[in-house]
Amino acid sequence: MVDIYQKINEYRKLGKDLVLVTVTEKEGMGPADIGKKMLVTEDGEAFGTVGGGSIEFYAREKAKAVVKQRKSFSEKYILNNRDVYVDDGEVKLDMACGGKATLFYEFVGPKQYLYIFGAGHCGAALAKVIKPLGFHITIVDDRQVVLDQLDDSADIKVKSGFADYIEKNGLRDNAYVVVCTPSHTNDYHVLNKILEKNIKPAYFGMLCSKKKIAEYLEKAYETYGKDIDLKNFYSPIGLDIGGNSPEEIAISISGEILSVYYGKSELNAHLRNPGAKKKVRPDD
């Protein structure tokens, strides 16, 4: 018998999104007994059962939508129809038992996935600040000695060339990306790879001064055209909270990421906005 909670622990360590489906109510006849559970992974793999038949097939398909929405909810099913359709908020399924059942779809996963390119002072501080806020963090750096100095704030630590990581692994849809490598050349390579592959992060930003970002954008428009989508690109990165230590910069970036996540990204405090004060990376 599969231990569903052990599976949850295993898959979360791998950075996989999951949906735990639980039968919470039952009326009349039917195979969906209260308390039955089924775990569905983002890849469609399933463990456990909520009763089999049409309700289980429907629940597995519904779980795919839950992964995309990243939200939990309940849904009621009537198990006595030949066709599948929704009426008055209840889903009517092709089953003959004639009862009713309610399933609770619980999204099990991080708020979102954050990729940090650069494990130096600012990257390490950012991981430490934002880890308790529910993000799954991958840090990429080509320096093993720097990666070895990190604590357990990062879920995944990868020794790799910065742009090479994206070339080989890609990035998750709607992920959050912070670029703070040891040099602007590496920063530019990461950003170019995102544009080249037409990746659409929910947020991506680079730690640099307004002068440096202006130089980069001029070259990017020349290379990729004036129509490149940079609405989710933030640089200079962070909110204008003052302070220039790695820890203060990390708080600034974390605040900006949360403002995007919670739909507050029109705030005037973003450093990328024209009226904001100039902020530079510590080595600028």
Side-chain angles (χ1 to χ4, degrees):
M1 183 175 179
V2 175
D3 185 332
I4 284 181
Y5 294 102
Q6 182 178 338
K7 284 290 183 183
I8 290 174
N9 190 46
E10 291 174 4
Y11 277 92
R12 292 200 70 175
K13 288 179 179 178
L14 296 173
K16 295 283 189 179
D17 289 337
L18 307 165
V19 178
L20 181 61
V21 188
T22 304
V23 182
T24 57
E25 294 181 22
K26 178 184 178 180
E27 300 177 33
M29 301 295 292
D33 295 326
I34 292 176
K36 281 188 174 181
K37 299 180 186 295
M38 178 175 65
L39 182 68
V40 184
T41 74
E42 62 182 51
D43 302 318
E45 192 175 7
F47 305 94
T49 181
V50 289
S54 293
I55 189 170
E56 187 160 307
F57 177 81
Y58 190 91
R60 289 181 67 162
E61 293 301 306
K62 191 75 174 183
K64 297 176 183 178
V66 177
V67 168
K68 291 181 180 179
Q69 297 167 2
R70 311 182 76 79
K71 293 181 180 178
S72 304
F73 61 89
S74 292
E75 195 164 66
K76 181 170 283 190
Y77 300 92
I78 299 177
L79 315 178
N80 63 353
N81 285 271
R82 294 181 179 179
D83 300 314
V84 177
Y85 65 97
V86 180
D87 183 32
D88 293 332
E90 296 179 330
V91 180
K92 305 195 175 184
L93 296 177
D94 179 15
M95 297 184 75
C97 42
K100 294 183 179 181
T102 299
L103 300 184
F104 176 57
Y105 294 85
E106 180 182 0
F107 173 73
V108 182
K111 282 181 177 175
Q112 255 301 352
Y113 291 83
L114 170 64
Y115 297 87
I116 302 174
F117 289 90
H121 297 299
C122 290
L126 175 60
K128 187 173 293 188
V129 167
I130 208 166
K131 176 61 177 176
L133 304 180
F135 288 80
H136 184 277
I137 301 169
T138 298
I139 291 188
V140 180
D141 205 297
D142 59 3
R143 302 164 295 173
Q144 187 63 53
V145 64
V146 176
L147 290 170
D148 289 342
Q149 293 172 356
L150 294 174
D151 60 17
D152 59 358
S153 299
D155 296 282
I156 299 175
K157 296 182 280 190
V158 182
K159 184 181 183 298
S160 169
F162 299 102
D164 290 343
Y165 176 86
I166 300 176
E167 181 65 39
K168 294 175 183 176
N169 301 283
L171 300 175
R172 280 178 170 266
D173 292 340
N174 298 312
Y176 291 67
V177 181
V178 172
V179 184
C180 52
T181 75
S183 74
H184 285 305
T185 299
N186 286 324
D187 292 342
Y188 298 161
H189 288 165
V190 172
L191 296 176
N192 286 342
K193 189 62 67 174
I194 290 173
L195 296 176
E196 174 190 318
K197 290 188 165 294
N198 199 31
I199 295 170
K200 302 292 186 184
Y203 169 97
F204 64 122
M206 178 171 67
L207 184 63
C208 72
S209 65
K210 289 186 176 181
K211 178 182 177 182
K212 290 290 187 181
I213 191 56
E215 293 172 356
Y216 167 73
L217 290 177
E218 183 178 353
K219 294 177 182 177
Y221 285 126
E222 288 177 3
T223 303
Y224 301 102
K226 295 292 184 180
D227 294 330
I228 53 176
D229 185 2
L230 294 175
K231 68 177 181 297
N232 294 338
F233 179 57
Y234 290 77
S235 191
I237 196 170
L239 299 180
D240 187 7
I241 64 171
N244 202 35
S245 71
E247 292 76 17
E248 290 165 331
I249 290 172
I251 292 171
S252 169
I253 297 171
S254 297
E256 183 166 74
I257 287 173
L258 289 174
S259 76
V260 172
Y261 179 82
Y262 288 112
K264 304 294 184 179
S265 57
E266 298 305 316
L267 294 171
N268 293 325
H270 291 282
L271 284 163
R272 77 170 182 175
N273 294 343
K277 294 187 297 182
K278 175 182 177 182
K279 175 171 279 193
V280 298
R281 58 196 287 162
D283 57 346
D284 269 344

